[in-house]
Amino acid sequence: GAGVSQTPSNKVTEKGKYVELRCDPISGHTALYWYRQSLGQGPEFLIYFQGTGAADDSGLPNDRFFAVRPEGSVSTLKIQRTERGDSAVYLCASSLTVDTEAFFGQGTRLTVV
Amino acid sequence: DQQVKQNSPSLSVQEGRISILNCDYTNSMFDYFLWYKKYPAEGPTFLISISSIKDKNEDGRFTVFLNKSAKHLSLHIVPSQPGDSAVYFCAASVEGAQKLVFGQGTRLTINP
C-alpha cells in the first residue's frame, strides 16, 4: 500500500512478556517516528530515526523500550518485561525529510493484562 | 508540563456553520505548528500547517491562524460538513516534523 503500515493492529500480552511492534514507512521516506497515545491524550513522542540511526530517543520512557531501523526502512519497536502501564496505542509515522509533514499509520493497540 | 494545550475537549457545530478549534502553547521555541484529524481506529491525518514566520495559512475550507504574541493558534473550518466530525489535534515542534508535541485533542461533532 501507499501509506504507513503497522503490524499487528492489536496485541494482547501478559505482564512481563516481550513484544515487538512493526512499522513499514512510506517508500522513500527517510525519517521515521514512533509515538505513544494513551486514552484521552494526544500522541507522545518516543523516538525518531533519520535513515538507520536514532536521531533522538529522548522520549523513550525507560530502558525496557528499544527501537531499531537496520536498513533505513522498516522499524521495530521492542518492549521488554511489559507492564500494564505500557498499554496504549503505538503510532508510527514517516516523512520524506524531517522538514516535511509526517504521515501516520493506523497504530498498534497494545494491551498488557 | 503540558506544552501544548487544547482546553476544549469537545465542540458541537451545526452543518454549514464555522467550526473554530483553539490551541495554546507555552514553549516560545516552537516554530512550526500543525493540525491533525483523527477518526476512530485510524492514525492521525495531516490537515494543515503553519510556520512561525506566517500568521495565516489557508487550504480550501481550512484556515489556520497563528498569534505568536499570545502563543495561540486556531483552526477554522468553513463551511463545516458532517465528514469533519473527528478528533482534532494541534501539534508543535521546534523544527520541522521531528519530535512533535501534541495537544490532548478536541472532539468535533457536526450536526446535520
Side-chain angles (χ1 to χ4, degrees):
Chain A
V4 177
S5 176
Q6 292 187 246
T7 53
S9 52
N10 280 285
K11 175 73 177 177
V12 180
T13 191
E14 291 182 348
K15 179 174 177 293
K17 298 287 189 183
Y18 168 82
V19 295
E20 289 190 352
L21 312 179
R22 177 187 167 106
C23 174
D24 278 274
I26 295 172
S27 178
H29 280 196
T30 62
L32 184 146
Y33 316 85
W34 284 98
Y35 288 82
R36 176 168 75 172
Q37 185 176 15
S38 301
L39 196 62
Q41 301 296 316
E44 291 180 288
F45 171 81
L46 294 176
I47 184 172
Y48 98 88
F49 291 87
Q50 179 60 43
T52 60
D56 186 337
D57 65 358
S58 61
L60 294 178
N62 52 60
D63 61 6
R64 294 187 297 106
F65 289 74
F66 190 70
V68 296
R69 195 187 185 199
E71 297 177 357
S73 178
V74 171
S75 176
T76 305
L77 178 66
K78 308 180 182 196
I79 311 174
Q80 298 178 321
R81 304 183 304 280
T82 52
E83 300 177 356
R84 293 197 178 89
D86 299 335
S87 297
V89 175
Y90 289 81
L91 293 162
C92 176
S94 70
S95 61
L96 192 59
T97 71
V98 294
D99 297 320
T100 55
E101 66 267 18
F103 295 86
F104 282 81
Q106 83 283 7
T108 293
R109 180 176 296 279
L110 176 67
T111 304
V112 182
V113 297
Chain B
D1 177 29
Q2 192 78 29
Q3 296 187 69
V4 177
K5 294 182 182 179
Q6 294 175 256
N7 291 316
S8 297
S10 63
L11 176 67
S12 188
V13 173
Q14 194 168 5
E15 181 179 359
R17 307 294 283 265
I18 184 170
S19 295
I20 300 176
L21 297 107
N22 293 302
C23 179
D24 297 293
Y25 62 95
T26 57
N27 188 344
S28 58
M29 297 298 291
F30 287 145
D31 66 356
Y32 186 59
F33 304 88
L34 310 89
W35 284 93
Y36 281 84
K37 171 181 174 179
K38 186 179 183 304
Y39 294 119
E42 294 184 12
T45 302
F46 170 75
L47 265 181
I48 191 168
S49 63
I50 188 168
S51 77
S52 60
I53 61 172
K54 294 185 173 182
D55 55 17
K56 177 182 173 181
N57 189 26
E58 192 171 351
D59 183 2
R61 296 186 298 115
F62 302 91
T63 303
V64 56
F65 295 91
L66 176 62
N67 182 334
K68 289 186 289 294
S69 61
K71 294 191 178 69
H72 177 84
L73 66 156
S74 60
L75 174 69
H76 292 211
I77 307 172
V78 57
S80 300
Q81 299 174 353
D84 297 330
S85 294
V87 177
Y88 289 77
F89 292 98
C90 70
S93 74
V94 172
E95 188 174 350
Q98 57 188 296
K99 201 170 181 177
L100 297 176
V101 180
F102 283 83
Q104 309 95 306
T106 296
R107 180 177 300 279
L108 175 65
T109 302
I110 306 300
N111 302 308

mmCIF file of all heavy atoms in Angstrom, chain A residues 33 35 37 40-43 45 48 56 58 91 95 97-107, chain B residues 2 32 34 36 38 41-46 49 89 95-105:
data_model
loop_
_atom_site.group_PDB
_atom_site.id
_atom_site.type_symbol
_atom_site.label_atom_id
_atom_site.label_comp_id
_atom_site.label_asym_id
_atom_site.label_seq_id
_atom_site.Cartn_x
_atom_site.Cartn_y
_atom_site.Cartn_z
ATOM 1 N N TYR A 33 9.156 7.991 12.776
ATOM 2 C CA TYR A 33 8.875 8.407 14.146
ATOM 3 C C TYR A 33 8.000 7.369 14.835
ATOM 4 O O TYR A 33 7.129 6.769 14.216
ATOM 5 C CB TYR A 33 8.114 9.749 14.147
ATOM 6 C CG TYR A 33 8.664 10.776 13.191
ATOM 7 C CD1 TYR A 33 8.280 10.783 11.857
ATOM 8 C CD2 TYR A 33 9.555 11.746 13.623
ATOM 9 C CE1 TYR A 33 8.781 11.725 10.970
ATOM 10 C CE2 TYR A 33 10.054 12.704 12.741
ATOM 11 C CZ TYR A 33 9.668 12.681 11.414
ATOM 12 O OH TYR A 33 10.166 13.611 10.542
ATOM 13 N N TYR A 35 5.383 7.210 18.206
ATOM 14 C CA TYR A 35 4.655 7.932 19.236
ATOM 15 C C TYR A 35 3.805 6.927 20.015
ATOM 16 O O TYR A 35 3.495 5.840 19.529
ATOM 17 C CB TYR A 35 3.717 8.985 18.622
ATOM 18 C CG TYR A 35 4.412 10.191 18.045
ATOM 19 C CD1 TYR A 35 4.973 10.147 16.770
ATOM 20 C CD2 TYR A 35 4.508 11.381 18.759
ATOM 21 C CE1 TYR A 35 5.615 11.259 16.232
ATOM 22 C CE2 TYR A 35 5.143 12.502 18.223
ATOM 23 C CZ TYR A 35 5.703 12.418 16.960
ATOM 24 O OH TYR A 35 6.332 13.521 16.434
ATOM 25 N N GLN A 37 0.126 6.837 22.274
ATOM 26 C CA GLN A 37 -1.074 7.589 22.648
ATOM 27 C C GLN A 37 -1.865 6.831 23.691
ATOM 28 O O GLN A 37 -2.360 5.729 23.433
ATOM 29 C CB GLN A 37 -1.952 7.860 21.423
ATOM 30 C CG GLN A 37 -3.142 8.749 21.737
ATOM 31 C CD GLN A 37 -3.960 9.107 20.520
ATOM 32 O OE1 GLN A 37 -3.821 8.493 19.464
ATOM 33 N NE2 GLN A 37 -4.820 10.103 20.664
ATOM 34 N N GLY A 40 -7.458 9.291 25.874
ATOM 35 C CA GLY A 40 -7.813 10.660 26.221
ATOM 36 C C GLY A 40 -6.681 11.665 26.089
ATOM 37 O O GLY A 40 -6.846 12.837 26.436
ATOM 38 N N GLN A 41 -5.557 11.212 25.577
ATOM 39 C CA GLN A 41 -4.399 12.098 25.427
ATOM 40 C C GLN A 41 -3.981 12.200 23.967
ATOM 41 O O GLN A 41 -4.384 11.387 23.134
ATOM 42 C CB GLN A 41 -3.216 11.559 26.240
ATOM 43 C CG GLN A 41 -3.491 11.409 27.719
ATOM 44 C CD GLN A 41 -3.754 12.749 28.373
ATOM 45 O OE1 GLN A 41 -3.062 13.739 28.119
ATOM 46 N NE2 GLN A 41 -4.781 12.800 29.218
ATOM 47 N N GLY A 42 -3.157 13.200 23.684
ATOM 48 C CA GLY A 42 -2.563 13.272 22.365
ATOM 49 C C GLY A 42 -1.357 12.350 22.282
ATOM 50 O O GLY A 42 -0.848 11.883 23.299
ATOM 51 N N PRO A 43 -0.891 12.081 21.063
ATOM 52 C CA PRO A 43 0.303 11.247 20.920
ATOM 53 C C PRO A 43 1.515 11.876 21.611
ATOM 54 O O PRO A 43 1.672 13.102 21.615
ATOM 55 C CB PRO A 43 0.508 11.194 19.399
ATOM 56 C CG PRO A 43 -0.844 11.471 18.807
ATOM 57 C CD PRO A 43 -1.488 12.431 19.758
ATOM 58 N N PHE A 45 5.730 11.758 21.828
ATOM 59 C CA PHE A 45 6.926 11.363 21.083
ATOM 60 C C PHE A 45 7.750 10.329 21.850
ATOM 61 O O PHE A 45 7.955 10.451 23.072
ATOM 62 C CB PHE A 45 7.782 12.608 20.827
ATOM 63 C CG PHE A 45 9.140 12.313 20.258
ATOM 64 C CD1 PHE A 45 9.311 12.066 18.916
ATOM 65 C CD2 PHE A 45 10.252 12.292 21.094
ATOM 66 C CE1 PHE A 45 10.567 11.803 18.390
ATOM 67 C CE2 PHE A 45 11.515 12.032 20.591
ATOM 68 C CZ PHE A 45 11.668 11.786 19.233
ATOM 69 N N TYR A 48 12.810 9.143 17.062
ATOM 70 C CA TYR A 48 12.756 9.261 15.616
ATOM 71 C C TYR A 48 14.097 8.882 15.000
ATOM 72 O O TYR A 48 15.149 9.022 15.618
ATOM 73 C CB TYR A 48 12.256 10.634 15.167
ATOM 74 C CG TYR A 48 13.286 11.667 14.780
ATOM 75 C CD1 TYR A 48 13.756 11.749 13.470
ATOM 76 C CD2 TYR A 48 13.725 12.602 15.698
ATOM 77 C CE1 TYR A 48 14.672 12.723 13.104
ATOM 78 C CE2 TYR A 48 14.638 13.577 15.343
ATOM 79 C CZ TYR A 48 15.105 13.641 14.051
ATOM 80 O OH TYR A 48 16.014 14.606 13.691
ATOM 81 N N ASP A 56 16.983 10.927 17.747
ATOM 82 C CA ASP A 56 16.517 11.455 19.031
ATOM 83 C C ASP A 56 15.672 10.384 19.697
ATOM 84 O O ASP A 56 14.615 10.032 19.184
ATOM 85 C CB ASP A 56 15.698 12.730 18.805
ATOM 86 C CG ASP A 56 15.288 13.433 20.093
ATOM 87 O OD1 ASP A 56 15.224 12.781 21.159
ATOM 88 O OD2 ASP A 56 15.009 14.649 20.038
ATOM 89 N N SER A 58 14.909 10.614 23.056
ATOM 90 C CA SER A 58 14.664 11.207 24.369
ATOM 91 C C SER A 58 13.282 10.916 24.924
ATOM 92 O O SER A 58 13.048 11.082 26.121
ATOM 93 C CB SER A 58 14.882 12.722 24.304
ATOM 94 O OG SER A 58 13.971 13.301 23.386
ATOM 95 N N LEU A 91 1.883 4.541 17.722
ATOM 96 C CA LEU A 91 1.752 5.096 16.375
ATOM 97 C C LEU A 91 3.118 5.271 15.734
ATOM 98 O O LEU A 91 4.066 5.717 16.376
ATOM 99 C CB LEU A 91 1.068 6.465 16.435
ATOM 100 C CG LEU A 91 -0.398 6.486 16.877
ATOM 101 C CD1 LEU A 91 -0.799 7.892 17.301
ATOM 102 C CD2 LEU A 91 -1.298 6.006 15.756
ATOM 103 N N SER A 95 8.142 10.640 7.235
ATOM 104 C CA SER A 95 8.123 11.848 6.412
ATOM 105 C C SER A 95 9.278 11.791 5.431
ATOM 106 O O SER A 95 10.294 11.134 5.682
ATOM 107 C CB SER A 95 8.181 13.118 7.269
ATOM 108 O OG SER A 95 9.368 13.173 8.029
ATOM 109 N N THR A 97 11.396 14.057 4.535
ATOM 110 C CA THR A 97 12.553 14.561 5.276
ATOM 111 C C THR A 97 12.032 15.055 6.610
ATOM 112 O O THR A 97 10.827 15.099 6.841
ATOM 113 C CB THR A 97 13.235 15.730 4.541
ATOM 114 O OG1 THR A 97 12.376 16.878 4.624
ATOM 115 C CG2 THR A 97 13.514 15.409 3.083
ATOM 116 N N VAL A 98 12.933 15.456 7.488
ATOM 117 C CA VAL A 98 12.476 15.940 8.805
ATOM 118 C C VAL A 98 11.805 17.308 8.692
ATOM 119 O O VAL A 98 11.213 17.782 9.648
ATOM 120 C CB VAL A 98 13.638 16.023 9.815
ATOM 121 C CG1 VAL A 98 14.165 14.628 10.111
ATOM 122 C CG2 VAL A 98 14.734 16.948 9.333
ATOM 123 N N ASP A 99 11.889 17.937 7.521
ATOM 124 C CA ASP A 99 11.295 19.264 7.361
ATOM 125 C C ASP A 99 9.905 19.222 6.747
ATOM 126 O O ASP A 99 9.293 20.260 6.537
ATOM 127 C CB ASP A 99 12.187 20.137 6.468
ATOM 128 C CG ASP A 99 13.549 20.362 7.096
ATOM 129 O OD1 ASP A 99 13.595 20.564 8.326
ATOM 130 O OD2 ASP A 99 14.553 20.328 6.367
ATOM 131 N N THR A 100 9.413 18.036 6.438
ATOM 132 C CA THR A 100 8.101 17.914 5.806
ATOM 133 C C THR A 100 7.137 17.184 6.742
ATOM 134 O O THR A 100 7.556 16.512 7.674
ATOM 135 C CB THR A 100 8.200 17.170 4.468
ATOM 136 O OG1 THR A 100 8.831 15.901 4.689
ATOM 137 C CG2 THR A 100 9.022 17.964 3.472
ATOM 138 N N GLU A 101 5.849 17.325 6.449
ATOM 139 C CA GLU A 101 4.848 16.778 7.369
ATOM 140 C C GLU A 101 4.934 15.257 7.464
ATOM 141 O O GLU A 101 5.300 14.572 6.510
ATOM 142 C CB GLU A 101 3.431 17.210 6.968
ATOM 143 C CG GLU A 101 2.944 16.674 5.655
ATOM 144 C CD GLU A 101 3.223 17.629 4.512
ATOM 145 O OE1 GLU A 101 4.065 18.523 4.674
ATOM 146 O OE2 GLU A 101 2.599 17.468 3.456
ATOM 147 N N ALA A 102 4.593 14.761 8.639
ATOM 148 C CA ALA A 102 4.633 13.330 8.906
ATOM 149 C C ALA A 102 3.281 12.693 8.632
ATOM 150 O O ALA A 102 2.237 13.275 8.931
ATOM 151 C CB ALA A 102 5.047 13.087 10.358
ATOM 152 N N PHE A 103 3.313 11.491 8.085
ATOM 153 C CA PHE A 103 2.109 10.711 7.799
ATOM 154 C C PHE A 103 2.091 9.520 8.745
ATOM 155 O O PHE A 103 3.073 8.788 8.854
ATOM 156 C CB PHE A 103 2.121 10.243 6.337
ATOM 157 C CG PHE A 103 2.029 11.380 5.356
ATOM 158 C CD1 PHE A 103 3.171 12.043 4.940
ATOM 159 C CD2 PHE A 103 0.805 11.795 4.875
ATOM 160 C CE1 PHE A 103 3.101 13.111 4.047
ATOM 161 C CE2 PHE A 103 0.719 12.863 3.979
ATOM 162 C CZ PHE A 103 1.862 13.516 3.572
ATOM 163 N N PHE A 104 0.946 9.339 9.398
ATOM 164 C CA PHE A 104 0.829 8.318 10.430
ATOM 165 C C PHE A 104 0.210 7.029 9.906
ATOM 166 O O PHE A 104 -0.642 7.046 9.013
ATOM 167 C CB PHE A 104 -0.029 8.838 11.591
ATOM 168 C CG PHE A 104 0.692 9.781 12.507
ATOM 169 C CD1 PHE A 104 0.834 11.115 12.182
ATOM 170 C CD2 PHE A 104 1.230 9.321 13.705
ATOM 171 C CE1 PHE A 104 1.499 11.989 13.024
ATOM 172 C CE2 PHE A 104 1.895 10.190 14.557
ATOM 173 C CZ PHE A 104 2.038 11.519 14.212
ATOM 174 N N GLY A 105 0.629 5.921 10.524
ATOM 175 C CA GLY A 105 -0.057 4.663 10.347
ATOM 176 C C GLY A 105 -1.278 4.597 11.241
ATOM 177 O O GLY A 105 -1.565 5.532 12.000
ATOM 178 N N GLN A 106 -1.978 3.463 11.181
ATOM 179 C CA GLN A 106 -3.225 3.326 11.946
ATOM 180 C C GLN A 106 -2.976 2.972 13.402
ATOM 181 O O GLN A 106 -3.874 3.032 14.222
ATOM 182 C CB GLN A 106 -4.138 2.270 11.288
ATOM 183 C CG GLN A 106 -3.843 0.821 11.656
ATOM 184 C CD GLN A 106 -2.635 0.237 10.955
ATOM 185 O OE1 GLN A 106 -1.877 0.925 10.261
ATOM 186 N NE2 GLN A 106 -2.437 -1.062 11.106
ATOM 187 N N GLY A 107 -1.727 2.607 13.711
ATOM 188 C CA GLY A 107 -1.389 2.319 15.094
ATOM 189 C C GLY A 107 -1.508 0.847 15.460
ATOM 190 O O GLY A 107 -2.199 0.071 14.791
ATOM 191 N N GLN B 2 2.344 20.468 30.364
ATOM 192 C CA GLN B 2 1.659 20.368 29.075
ATOM 193 C C GLN B 2 2.073 21.570 28.234
ATOM 194 O O GLN B 2 1.586 22.681 28.464
ATOM 195 C CB GLN B 2 0.146 20.330 29.316
ATOM 196 C CG GLN B 2 -0.678 19.942 28.135
ATOM 197 C CD GLN B 2 -0.671 18.449 27.862
ATOM 198 O OE1 GLN B 2 -0.517 17.655 28.767
ATOM 199 N NE2 GLN B 2 -0.820 18.085 26.615
ATOM 200 N N TYR B 32 6.951 25.693 14.342
ATOM 201 C CA TYR B 32 6.205 25.000 13.294
ATOM 202 C C TYR B 32 5.009 24.352 13.967
ATOM 203 O O TYR B 32 5.160 23.679 14.990
ATOM 204 C CB TYR B 32 7.107 23.957 12.634
ATOM 205 C CG TYR B 32 6.531 23.244 11.431
ATOM 206 C CD1 TYR B 32 6.125 23.959 10.307
ATOM 207 C CD2 TYR B 32 6.429 21.866 11.398
ATOM 208 C CE1 TYR B 32 5.615 23.310 9.200
ATOM 209 C CE2 TYR B 32 5.923 21.213 10.288
ATOM 210 C CZ TYR B 32 5.519 21.935 9.192
ATOM 211 O OH TYR B 32 5.022 21.292 8.092
ATOM 212 N N LEU B 34 1.085 22.347 13.454
ATOM 213 C CA LEU B 34 0.307 21.511 12.547
ATOM 214 C C LEU B 34 -1.029 21.171 13.186
ATOM 215 O O LEU B 34 -1.164 21.154 14.415
ATOM 216 C CB LEU B 34 1.037 20.195 12.247
ATOM 217 C CG LEU B 34 2.496 20.244 11.801
ATOM 218 C CD1 LEU B 34 3.437 20.203 12.985
ATOM 219 C CD2 LEU B 34 2.793 19.078 10.868
ATOM 220 N N TYR B 36 -3.839 17.970 12.967
ATOM 221 C CA TYR B 36 -4.134 16.628 12.510
ATOM 222 C C TYR B 36 -5.582 16.305 12.868
ATOM 223 O O TYR B 36 -6.112 16.774 13.858
ATOM 224 C CB TYR B 36 -3.216 15.595 13.177
ATOM 225 C CG TYR B 36 -1.835 15.504 12.584
ATOM 226 C CD1 TYR B 36 -0.827 16.376 12.989
ATOM 227 C CD2 TYR B 36 -1.530 14.547 11.623
ATOM 228 C CE1 TYR B 36 0.449 16.298 12.455
ATOM 229 C CE2 TYR B 36 -0.251 14.453 11.082
ATOM 230 C CZ TYR B 36 0.734 15.332 11.504
ATOM 231 O OH TYR B 36 1.994 15.245 10.971
ATOM 232 N N LYS B 38 -8.274 12.981 13.382
ATOM 233 C CA LYS B 38 -8.217 11.547 13.649
ATOM 234 C C LYS B 38 -9.625 10.960 13.741
ATOM 235 O O LYS B 38 -10.440 11.390 14.559
ATOM 236 C CB LYS B 38 -7.448 11.282 14.942
ATOM 237 C CG LYS B 38 -7.223 9.799 15.196
ATOM 238 C CD LYS B 38 -6.447 9.578 16.471
ATOM 239 C CE LYS B 38 -6.170 8.087 16.689
ATOM 240 N NZ LYS B 38 -7.364 7.252 16.693
ATOM 241 N N ALA B 41 -9.995 4.384 15.276
ATOM 242 C CA ALA B 41 -9.258 3.232 14.753
ATOM 243 C C ALA B 41 -8.371 3.584 13.555
ATOM 244 O O ALA B 41 -7.954 2.686 12.814
ATOM 245 C CB ALA B 41 -10.196 2.095 14.377
ATOM 246 N N GLU B 42 -8.120 4.848 13.353
ATOM 247 C CA GLU B 42 -7.182 5.264 12.314
ATOM 248 C C GLU B 42 -6.097 6.138 12.928
ATOM 249 O O GLU B 42 -6.263 6.700 14.016
ATOM 250 C CB GLU B 42 -7.898 6.054 11.216
ATOM 251 C CG GLU B 42 -8.889 5.238 10.421
ATOM 252 C CD GLU B 42 -9.498 6.035 9.275
ATOM 253 O OE1 GLU B 42 -8.988 7.134 8.970
ATOM 254 O OE2 GLU B 42 -10.475 5.545 8.687
ATOM 255 N N GLY B 43 -4.974 6.258 12.221
ATOM 256 C CA GLY B 43 -3.948 7.170 12.683
ATOM 257 C C GLY B 43 -4.312 8.610 12.364
ATOM 258 O O GLY B 43 -5.181 8.871 11.535
ATOM 259 N N PRO B 44 -3.649 9.567 13.012
ATOM 260 C CA PRO B 44 -3.905 10.973 12.692
ATOM 261 C C PRO B 44 -3.577 11.273 11.229
ATOM 262 O O PRO B 44 -2.605 10.747 10.684
ATOM 263 C CB PRO B 44 -2.956 11.717 13.635
ATOM 264 C CG PRO B 44 -2.642 10.756 14.734
ATOM 265 C CD PRO B 44 -2.664 9.406 14.093
ATOM 266 N N THR B 45 -4.386 12.126 10.619
ATOM 267 C CA THR B 45 -4.180 12.540 9.228
ATOM 268 C C THR B 45 -3.812 14.012 9.206
ATOM 269 O O THR B 45 -4.514 14.834 9.788
ATOM 270 C CB THR B 45 -5.468 12.331 8.415
ATOM 271 O OG1 THR B 45 -5.844 10.960 8.482
ATOM 272 C CG2 THR B 45 -5.267 12.728 6.957
ATOM 273 N N PHE B 46 -2.728 14.334 8.526
ATOM 274 C CA PHE B 46 -2.283 15.717 8.436
ATOM 275 C C PHE B 46 -3.321 16.575 7.715
ATOM 276 O O PHE B 46 -3.865 16.183 6.680
ATOM 277 C CB PHE B 46 -0.951 15.787 7.684
ATOM 278 C CG PHE B 46 -0.514 17.182 7.333
ATOM 279 C CD1 PHE B 46 -0.001 18.016 8.307
ATOM 280 C CD2 PHE B 46 -0.664 17.667 6.047
ATOM 281 C CE1 PHE B 46 0.384 19.303 7.999
ATOM 282 C CE2 PHE B 46 -0.273 18.948 5.720
ATOM 283 C CZ PHE B 46 0.244 19.766 6.701
ATOM 284 N N SER B 49 -0.598 23.091 8.055
ATOM 285 C CA SER B 49 0.491 23.527 8.926
ATOM 286 C C SER B 49 0.754 25.011 8.731
ATOM 287 O O SER B 49 0.277 25.627 7.775
ATOM 288 C CB SER B 49 1.763 22.733 8.638
ATOM 289 O OG SER B 49 2.211 22.972 7.312
ATOM 290 N N PHE B 89 -6.230 17.308 16.597
ATOM 291 C CA PHE B 89 -5.063 17.550 17.442
ATOM 292 C C PHE B 89 -4.242 18.691 16.858
ATOM 293 O O PHE B 89 -3.981 18.713 15.647
ATOM 294 C CB PHE B 89 -4.165 16.313 17.503
ATOM 295 C CG PHE B 89 -4.772 15.143 18.232
ATOM 296 C CD1 PHE B 89 -5.395 14.119 17.541
ATOM 297 C CD2 PHE B 89 -4.699 15.073 19.618
ATOM 298 C CE1 PHE B 89 -5.938 13.040 18.208
ATOM 299 C CE2 PHE B 89 -5.246 13.993 20.301
ATOM 300 C CZ PHE B 89 -5.866 12.981 19.598
ATOM 301 N N GLU B 95 11.454 22.334 15.195
ATOM 302 C CA GLU B 95 11.950 22.360 13.816
ATOM 303 C C GLU B 95 11.320 21.238 13.012
ATOM 304 O O GLU B 95 11.464 20.077 13.357
ATOM 305 C CB GLU B 95 13.467 22.207 13.807
ATOM 306 C CG GLU B 95 14.094 22.405 12.446
ATOM 307 C CD GLU B 95 15.613 22.384 12.490
ATOM 308 O OE1 GLU B 95 16.165 22.413 13.602
ATOM 309 O OE2 GLU B 95 16.229 22.321 11.423
ATOM 310 N N GLY B 96 10.612 21.593 11.988
ATOM 311 C CA GLY B 96 10.091 20.611 11.052
ATOM 312 C C GLY B 96 9.130 19.625 11.672
ATOM 313 O O GLY B 96 8.409 19.933 12.609
ATOM 314 N N ALA B 97 9.132 18.391 11.149
ATOM 315 C CA ALA B 97 8.174 17.379 11.577
ATOM 316 C C ALA B 97 8.695 16.550 12.739
ATOM 317 O O ALA B 97 7.967 15.740 13.282
ATOM 318 C CB ALA B 97 7.846 16.445 10.408
ATOM 319 N N GLN B 98 9.945 16.771 13.109
ATOM 320 C CA GLN B 98 10.516 15.915 14.131
ATOM 321 C C GLN B 98 9.997 16.274 15.518
ATOM 322 O O GLN B 98 9.742 17.423 15.807
ATOM 323 C CB GLN B 98 12.042 16.049 14.106
ATOM 324 C CG GLN B 98 12.512 17.474 14.293
ATOM 325 C CD GLN B 98 14.004 17.627 14.082
ATOM 326 O OE1 GLN B 98 14.770 17.054 14.835
ATOM 327 N NE2 GLN B 98 14.402 18.368 13.072
ATOM 328 N N LYS B 99 9.840 15.264 16.333
ATOM 329 C CA LYS B 99 9.517 15.451 17.742
ATOM 330 C C LYS B 99 8.345 16.403 17.950
ATOM 331 O O LYS B 99 8.451 17.441 18.598
ATOM 332 C CB LYS B 99 10.738 15.956 18.499
ATOM 333 C CG LYS B 99 10.671 15.708 19.996
ATOM 334 C CD LYS B 99 11.994 16.012 20.659
ATOM 335 C CE LYS B 99 11.941 15.737 22.137
ATOM 336 N NZ LYS B 99 13.252 15.969 22.778
ATOM 337 N N LEU B 100 7.209 16.063 17.379
ATOM 338 C CA LEU B 100 6.015 16.867 17.550
ATOM 339 C C LEU B 100 5.505 16.744 18.978
ATOM 340 O O LEU B 100 5.521 15.663 19.567
ATOM 341 C CB LEU B 100 4.918 16.410 16.579
ATOM 342 C CG LEU B 100 5.214 16.564 15.086
ATOM 343 C CD1 LEU B 100 4.076 15.979 14.264
ATOM 344 C CD2 LEU B 100 5.424 18.022 14.730
ATOM 345 N N VAL B 101 5.026 17.864 19.509
ATOM 346 C CA VAL B 101 4.362 17.876 20.811
ATOM 347 C C VAL B 101 2.888 18.125 20.536
ATOM 348 O O VAL B 101 2.529 19.154 19.944
ATOM 349 C CB VAL B 101 4.945 18.964 21.724
ATOM 350 C CG1 VAL B 101 4.225 18.960 23.075
ATOM 351 C CG2 VAL B 101 6.439 18.756 21.918
ATOM 352 N N PHE B 102 2.039 17.203 20.964
ATOM 353 C CA PHE B 102 0.614 17.256 20.650
ATOM 354 C C PHE B 102 -0.194 17.785 21.827
ATOM 355 O O PHE B 102 0.161 17.585 23.005
ATOM 356 C CB PHE B 102 0.086 15.860 20.316
ATOM 357 C CG PHE B 102 0.440 15.368 18.941
ATOM 358 C CD1 PHE B 102 1.672 14.785 18.692
ATOM 359 C CD2 PHE B 102 -0.472 15.481 17.898
ATOM 360 C CE1 PHE B 102 1.998 14.318 17.425
ATOM 361 C CE2 PHE B 102 -0.153 15.018 16.627
ATOM 362 C CZ PHE B 102 1.087 14.440 16.393
ATOM 363 N N GLY B 103 -1.304 18.423 21.495
ATOM 364 C CA GLY B 103 -2.317 18.731 22.492
ATOM 365 C C GLY B 103 -3.156 17.495 22.771
ATOM 366 O O GLY B 103 -2.951 16.424 22.177
ATOM 367 N N GLN B 104 -4.130 17.637 23.686
ATOM 368 C CA GLN B 104 -4.931 16.485 24.118
ATOM 369 C C GLN B 104 -6.033 16.138 23.124
ATOM 370 O O GLN B 104 -6.646 15.075 23.211
ATOM 371 C CB GLN B 104 -5.585 16.758 25.472
ATOM 372 C CG GLN B 104 -4.646 17.241 26.546
ATOM 373 C CD GLN B 104 -4.647 18.768 26.614
ATOM 374 O OE1 GLN B 104 -4.430 19.463 25.627
ATOM 375 N NE2 GLN B 104 -4.882 19.291 27.803
ATOM 376 N N GLY B 105 -6.309 17.051 22.198
ATOM 377 C CA GLY B 105 -7.336 16.809 21.207
ATOM 378 C C GLY B 105 -8.668 17.443 21.564
ATOM 379 O O GLY B 105 -8.998 17.635 22.742
#
